[in-house]
Amino acid sequence: MLLRRRHGTASRDKHKVSPIAPVLLFQTVFFVAPIGILFVYSFWRMQDFRLITEFSFHNYREMANNPLLIKAFFLSLRVALVVTVVCAVLAFPIAYFISKKAGRWKVACLVAVIIPFWTSFVLRAYAWKLLLGERGVINTGLVSTGIIEAPLSYLLYSPFATAIGLIYGFLPFMVMPIYTSLEKVKDSWIDAAADLGASPARATWEVTLPLCIPGLVVGCVFTFIFALGEYVIPAMLGGGKDLLMAQAIVLEFELSQNWPGGAAISVVLLAIVFAVVAAVLRWVKMEEVL
Amino acid sequence: MSEGELRAVTFRNVTHDYDGARALDDVSFEVGDGEFVTLLGPSGCGKTTLLRITSGFLDPTAGDVLLHGKSVVGVPPFRRNTSMVFQDYALFPHRTVAQNVAFGLRMRGMAPDEIRRRVDRMLDMLGLAGLGERRIGHISGGQAQRVALGRSMIVEPAVLLLDEPLGALDLKLRKQMQVELKRIQRQVGMTFLYVTHDQEEALAMSDRIAVMNKGRLMQYGTPHEIYRRPSSRFVADFIGEANLIPCRVAERRSDALVLKGPGASSFTAAPSGADPASGADAILVIRPENLALAEPPVPQANTIGAVVQELTFLGPSVRMTALAEGNIVLAVVIGPGGRLPAIGDRIDLKWKAEDAIVVGPG
């Protein structure tokens, strides 16, 4: 009451918090608080397996001086970027087909896109192992048909395998928002472009694609963020040689028992994610997207 | 120049089937260069299908479509010299008014300077000067309509196709746009093929009207011909208001057609050359404005007795309905100064033989 009298104005009193209070509470307990704890941890450090609760930039300095971590950091960015671009390139035609050409098979196609989510990520990663392994379906097939002489070793336990797994796993996250955008693109706009002399490719470039940018951006943000932080697929398909950020975090927490160190890497990862979202929000208006 | 080149569009036995259902059935007619032709008919009559076949979004199942004498069947829309004003305008929402209008010229690879010049001129002509930089979401319905028109006209198509372009406007704006569309069309001398289900609109704007029903071309002619000389009961009934009196052809004379009406009444009508045979059933069509009260002594021919049912004051005129023998409801328009009977009065209605039209019963 005192607070309100001091800071509150008549207009501010109108803004009632009550309807969103449960959401705020939920977010505070399950998101803000853990992140806050993580943040605080990242400025502490471990010494002789004891937690020293003194503020310092020790962990961040360590990170900056650790070539393995730097490498993991850039590899993660690169993999996430490649995965995002490949997903976008693959998802647009898929979404276009479903939205504009599938006709009465539309719902069936949508379900087909979503179905993989019904099985666990781990299971699907194992399926890829069966396909990509040295004695996997692809290598066996290629060798037995004589296309190659020896199995391709880079198919599994490599950044390549990780990228394949991530592309496969996150494609639906790209397809769905693009599809949603495409649904708002009226057929008559595409017809009008053709009618005015635009070939199908030109009409796509001039009309369909620009109107899909909101969906494309949302899809790219989701895919990039998920790919950047994904653990299961790199752990199962990537092998232990080339670490990604998420693996590095787990190693710090689990193997090294260095919680502050892991926390610091997590904070950096989180900062990147926030930076990406902030940049995108400045660029596209969220209301147009949703 | 051969004769075919004078015609902007030629439809030759155009037939189209949608999933086994016949949407267009053997439609043939020609649209002259610079003509304003309207495809008129109830929804589902095939008029929009014919428009989409002309623009290339559909191909006919059978028959041929010619633009300036050249068959265009199988030519995709983007290679056809037609241009369509869509029912919902289909303006590109991510582009400005000027960018929308410029689109077709840009697709044709015209130089930017020339495009700007032409777009400015088009916007000027359509009363859109100064709105070029507006976003599509920030203009009114009437303005959007003009932008759509300008975007299609600027490419100077062999024929401009308009798919009920005034349907989304309110009545007052629609009347305004009818006049303006007609003025613009006359001014630029462009061929318009216009689709509507509004017969008043068709009569007001067209040089010629193609009346369609159930995929077939019922009649093709000037508004005057269609209104005054409908060739079928459908056309008579669909265009304007019509009184339909069932008759039987009693005699075909060279100067007149003699008909037996309900009861003992007998009518004559001018022969049309396509009249039903002697003894056949026919429908006598008389427009409400051609019926008048007959004062005594009532002439024998071309009158019918009736009882006044309703009188509606319309301002300049009064609309009367009367019940004639054989349970036929007749509509009569009584002009200013005409004598008004009272409801329930027994009256006689007369008409001139040349105002009566005889059509088949179908």
Side-chain angles (χ1 to χ4, degrees):
Chain A
M1 202 57 198
L2 200 74
L3 222 96
R4 187 183 286 182
R5 209 171 293 157
R6 207 181 290 161
H7 299 287
T9 61
S11 75
R12 202 174 285 181
D13 281 356
K14 280 184 200 158
H15 295 281
K16 289 188 180 145
V17 194
S18 53
I20 58 159
V23 182
L24 277 181
L25 188 73
F26 185 90
Q27 287 287 340
T28 309
V29 172
F30 292 103
F31 183 70
V32 178
I35 297 293
I37 293 168
L38 198 74
F39 192 69
V40 171
Y41 251 92
S42 76
F43 293 103
W44 292 343
R45 74 191 144 102
M46 293 298 280
Q47 204 165 41
D48 306 327
F49 298 102
R50 267 183 35 242
L51 192 64
I52 311 285
T53 57
E54 276 168 21
F55 179 90
S56 82
F57 285 104
H58 171 81
N59 299 313
Y60 293 95
R61 267 198 306 274
E62 286 285 294
M63 266 174 71
N65 293 326
N66 184 341
L68 272 176
L69 264 181
I70 303 282
K71 207 179 137 208
F73 175 76
F74 280 107
L75 186 62
S76 281
L77 280 181
R78 225 171 66 208
V79 167
L81 209 65
V82 168
V83 167
T84 304
V85 170
V86 173
C87 273
V89 170
L90 290 177
F92 185 80
I94 295 173
Y96 187 89
F97 175 83
I98 296 173
S99 173
K100 302 296 177 197
K101 305 283 174 198
R104 58 205 168 112
W105 296 103
K106 200 183 240 184
V107 176
C109 289
L110 281 177
V111 171
V113 168
I114 299 166
I115 273 182
F117 282 125
W118 296 355
T119 54
S120 105
F121 236 36
V122 177
L123 204 68
R124 284 183 280 153
Y126 267 117
W128 276 108
K129 276 191 171 186
L130 287 178
L131 288 171
L132 299 172
E134 293 223 1
R135 291 188 193 162
V137 175
I138 294 173
N139 270 327
T140 314
L142 287 175
V143 171
S144 64
T145 51
I147 294 173
I148 52 169
E149 277 171 21
L152 301 170
S153 59
Y154 60 81
L155 280 188
L156 190 58
Y157 302 129
S158 63
F160 173 82
T162 302
I164 294 238
L166 291 175
I167 290 164
Y168 163 78
F170 297 141
L171 195 58
F173 289 111
M174 191 67 95
V175 172
M176 293 314 288
I178 296 177
Y179 166 81
T180 308
S181 271
L182 276 167
E183 281 294 283
K184 293 184 198 161
V185 176
K186 285 193 203 166
D187 291 347
S188 68
W189 294 336
I190 301 169
D191 281 354
D195 190 59
L196 291 163
S199 63
R202 193 82 196 267
T204 302
W205 178 251
E206 295 274 354
V207 177
T208 316
L209 203 56
L211 290 170
C212 279
I213 285 177
L216 213 54
V217 168
V218 169
C220 284
V221 168
F222 275 136
T223 308
F224 184 78
I225 291 173
F226 289 161
L228 197 63
E230 171 60 23
Y231 172 71
V232 174
I233 286 182
M236 290 181 66
L237 301 178
K241 243 185 337 190
D242 304 290
L243 288 188
L244 294 185
M245 288 281 267
Q247 289 166 286
I249 294 170
V250 171
L251 281 182
E252 285 295 309
F253 275 105
E254 299 280 318
L255 204 66
S256 317
Q257 287 288 307
N258 182 3
W259 283 40
I265 309 173
S266 303
V267 167
V268 169
L269 196 64
L270 201 65
I272 296 170
V273 168
F274 275 132
V276 168
V277 173
V280 167
L281 280 182
R282 281 189 67 135
W283 190 39
V284 240
K285 288 192 207 108
M286 225 42 201
E287 309 90 79
E288 283 178 18
V289 175
L290 302 172
Chain B
M1 188 184 276
S2 77
E3 212 183 333
E5 287 172 57
L6 290 168
R7 311 231 157 73
V9 194
T10 309
F11 297 107
R12 234 176 243 164
N13 311 103
V14 174
T15 299
H16 188 79
D17 294 329
Y18 262 131
D19 296 328
R22 186 138 289 192
L24 282 176
D25 193 358
D26 199 27
V27 172
S28 298
F29 68 98
E30 289 170 335
V31 179
D33 232 358
E35 229 183 344
F36 193 126
V37 169
T38 298
L39 301 174
L40 175 66
S43 49
C45 72
K47 54 194 193 298
T48 298
T49 305
L50 192 59
L51 207 65
R52 289 184 76 79
I53 283 176
T54 315
S55 62
F57 292 118
L58 287 175
D59 271 327
T61 314
D64 204 357
V65 179
L66 296 88
L67 291 181
H68 283 139
K70 269 203 206 104
S71 173
V72 290
V73 172
V75 177
F78 68 96
R79 294 218 182 88
R80 273 189 205 199
N81 193 15
T82 61
S83 172
M84 177 117 112
V85 176
F86 290 79
Q87 195 165 13
D88 63 352
Y89 312 144
L91 296 173
F92 305 129
H94 59 306
R95 305 209 183 264
T96 64
V97 166
Q99 286 170 338
N100 264 276
V101 175
F103 192 87
L105 297 182
R106 220 155 50 73
M107 292 306 111
R108 281 158 179 75
M110 192 176 276
D113 283 350
E114 179 64 13
I115 291 179
R116 207 168 308 123
R117 216 171 53 75
R118 291 196 188 193
V119 168
D120 284 346
R121 205 170 55 199
M122 182 58 76
L123 293 179
D124 256 358
M125 190 183 86
L126 295 172
L128 294 167
L131 293 181
E133 298 313 308
R134 287 270 186 96
R135 291 236 136 213
I136 290 307
H138 297 125
I139 56 175
S140 71
Q143 286 165 344
Q145 214 278 323
R146 285 156 209 251
V147 175
L149 190 64
R151 185 180 67 174
S152 293
M153 283 194 355
I154 203 162
V155 299
E156 296 173 1
V159 55
L160 187 73
L161 309 166
L162 301 102
D163 188 5
E164 307 218 15
L166 306 183
L169 305 178
D170 62 60
L171 187 66
K172 200 173 161 206
L173 197 54
R174 195 154 71 214
K175 296 273 178 213
Q176 265 175 35
M177 283 306 295
Q178 283 177 11
V179 176
E180 194 161 330
L181 258 183
K182 184 67 198 156
R183 180 185 64 75
I184 291 168
Q185 189 264 341
R186 230 181 336 229
Q187 187 184 332
V188 298
M190 197 175 276
T191 311
F192 276 33
L193 188 56
Y194 188 98
V195 160
T196 185
H197 63 265
D198 180 343
Q199 45 99 10
E200 265 181 65
E201 197 166 285
L203 290 173
M205 301 170 77
S206 322
D207 294 323
R208 282 200 279 179
I209 300 173
V211 185
M212 297 180 65
N213 188 36
K214 293 178 183 160
R216 277 181 313 169
L217 180 64
M218 302 303 290
Q219 193 172 357
Y220 187 45
T222 64
H224 197 263
E225 283 166 7
I226 298 270
Y227 187 77
R228 299 299 292 269
R229 291 276 152 227
S231 63
S232 62
R233 181 195 174 134
F234 173 82
V235 174
D237 207 17
F238 192 73
I239 312 287
E241 204 178 357
N243 293 304
L244 308 174
I245 304 170
C247 298
R248 168 162 291 136
V249 179
E251 196 187 347
R252 288 177 63 162
R253 295 206 307 254
S254 59
D255 61 332
L257 203 61
V258 182
L259 301 140
K260 279 259 165 268
S265 55
S266 150
F267 316 125
T268 57
S272 73
D275 294 318
S278 210
D281 285 335
I283 303 275
L284 188 70
V285 180
I286 308 163
R287 299 291 181 193
E289 65 272 22
N290 292 330
L291 280 176
L293 284 173
E295 305 295 339
V298 176
Q300 276 294 301
N302 296 337
T303 58
I304 192 165
V307 178
V308 178
Q309 280 193 313
E310 256 176 78
L311 292 162
T312 313
F313 181 63
L314 298 175
S317 61
V318 172
R319 188 177 184 279
M320 173 172 75
T321 53
L323 192 65
E325 219 176 316
N327 253 343
I328 304 161
V329 180
L330 296 172
V332 185
V333 173
I334 302 172
R339 181 178 72 88
L340 287 181
I343 292 174
D345 279 3
R346 278 211 65 90
I347 52 164
D348 287 297
L349 292 165
K350 63 171 181 182
W351 63 90
K352 293 180 200 142
E354 66 262 33
D355 288 333
I357 310 139
V358 179
V359 295

